[in-house]
Structures are given as C-alpha cells and as structure tokens.
C-alpha cells in the first residue's frame, strides 16, 4: 500500500501537473472537449488505463464537453504517489 502524502508534498508535485488541484482531499482535473462523444471516448481511455494499472479514479464524471477525473487512495486515507502517477498518465491520454 502507498503512504498518504502531506499537503506540502502534494502541492509540490502538482506544480508538474498543470490543471490538477487538491480539492476536498483528492487531486482532480477537468478536461474540456468539443463534443459529448469526445468526452466519452476520453473517459473510456481513462477507464481502460485504470484497469491496466489496477488504480481507479475516485470519480470519473462525464458532462457535455468535459470530463472530471479525481484520485484519492481510500486505503491510505488520502492522496498517494500512485494517485499522482495516475494523474500524469491521464494527462498523457488527453
């Protein structure tokens, strides 16, 4: 199991993850798209990545033209290095 990171560690790491922010104890980002279908296609890519890496988003919210992705590791009681690695991997999909 990964260890929970401090807010300082998370804030420092988020400097390398543009658009990601710490909100309500988890890291999240909203991705924008030109259509609903593009957003759904991106969400499917995120879901497939989650299955491949065995690390799933806490939330994967599809809206018209945007998708919000959030990570937290409940078993660690907060955000871990694995959550930040997942965030970087999701950025690479966009």
């Amino acid at each position: 199991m990964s260890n929970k990171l401090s807010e300082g560690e998370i804030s420092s790491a988020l400097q390398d993850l543009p658009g990601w922010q710490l909100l309500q104890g988890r890291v999240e980002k909203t991705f924008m798209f030109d259509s609903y279908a593009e957003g759904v296609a991106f969400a499917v890519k995120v879901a497939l990545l989650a299955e491949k890496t065995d690390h799933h988003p806490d939330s994967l919210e599809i809206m018209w033209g945007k998708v919000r992705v959030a990570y937290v590791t409940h078993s660690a009681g907060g955000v871990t290095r694995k959550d930040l690695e997942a965030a970087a991997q999701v950025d690479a999909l966009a």
Side-chain angles (χ1 to χ4, degrees):
M1 174 175 76
S2 297
N3 294 324
K4 175 182 171 181
L5 299 174
S6 70
E7 283 193 33
E9 290 171 315
I10 297 166
S11 294
S12 178
L14 289 179
Q15 292 178 17
D16 296 327
L17 294 168
W20 288 89
Q21 47 189 323
L22 180 62
L23 295 171
Q24 298 179 331
R26 61 190 197 167
V27 291
E28 68 176 59
K29 180 176 180 176
T30 300
F31 295 84
M32 306 302 289
F33 300 94
D34 291 332
S35 70
Y36 182 76
E38 288 178 40
V40 170
F42 174 73
V44 168
K45 289 179 186 177
V46 172
L48 293 172
L49 173 67
E51 288 295 304
K52 179 180 177 183
T53 61
D54 195 30
H55 192 66
H56 301 80
D58 181 53
S59 175
L60 180 58
E61 184 179 1
I62 302 169
M63 298 160 275
W64 197 100
K66 57 186 173 181
V67 175
R68 184 176 299 125
V69 183
Y71 285 97
V72 65
T73 301
H74 293 281
S75 60
V79 176
T80 66
R81 181 75 43 210
K82 195 165 184 176
D83 296 313
L84 297 171
E85 290 168 0
Q89 291 172 328
V90 167
D91 273 349
L93 296 175

